[in-house]
């Protein structure tokens, strides 16, 4: 299992342990984790949640009146150091 999947799985497990329902998705260049954040999440839990997502390469919060609040985190896949890194148009 690639390191990005392991990191994303660990983030998802920790968010689930805090009571947040999570989803993990694999993408070509990264693995993403999304968690639904309930309205009544206590301030202490927010601190723990932020500690968890701080381990990701990027994270944020999407809040809408229609869909509530979704926390997201992205863990990038490791990029090869040699060869055809970005495809035919990006060769060194």
């Amino acid at each position: 299992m690639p390191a990005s999947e392991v990191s994303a799985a660990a983030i998802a497990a920790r968010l689930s342990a805090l009571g947040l329902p999570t989803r993990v998705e694999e993408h070509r260049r990264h693995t993403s984790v999304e968690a639904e954040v309930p309205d009544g999440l206590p301030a202490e839990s927010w601190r723990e949640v932020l500690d968890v997502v701080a381990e990701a390469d990027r994270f944020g919060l999407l809040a809408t009146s229609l869909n509530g609040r979704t926390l997201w985190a992205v863990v990038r896949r490791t990029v090869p150091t040699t060869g055809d890194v970005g495809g035919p148009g990006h060769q060194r």
Side-chain angles (χ1 to χ4, degrees):
M1 182 180 293
S4 65
E5 289 179 36
V6 172
S7 295
I11 290 169
R14 289 180 63 198
L15 291 173
S16 291
L18 292 169
L20 303 181
T22 61
R23 297 181 289 289
V24 178
E25 292 185 16
E26 297 300 321
H27 302 275
R28 199 178 101 192
R29 294 181 187 242
H30 66 274
T31 303
S32 64
V33 178
E34 292 184 354
E36 301 304 318
V37 181
D39 289 333
L41 190 67
E44 304 81 42
S45 295
W46 271 110
R47 286 185 201 98
E48 292 179 65
V49 166
L50 291 175
D51 284 344
V52 172
V53 295
E55 296 176 11
D57 293 309
R58 292 184 350 220
F59 66 89
L61 180 68
L62 176 63
T64 68
S65 59
L66 296 175
N67 298 329
R69 297 182 298 187
T70 302
L71 180 70
W72 58 268
V74 170
V75 179
R76 287 189 295 262
R77 293 185 182 268
T78 306
V79 177
T81 56
T82 60
D84 183 10
V85 176
H90 295 89
Q91 291 179 351
R92 290 196 242 177

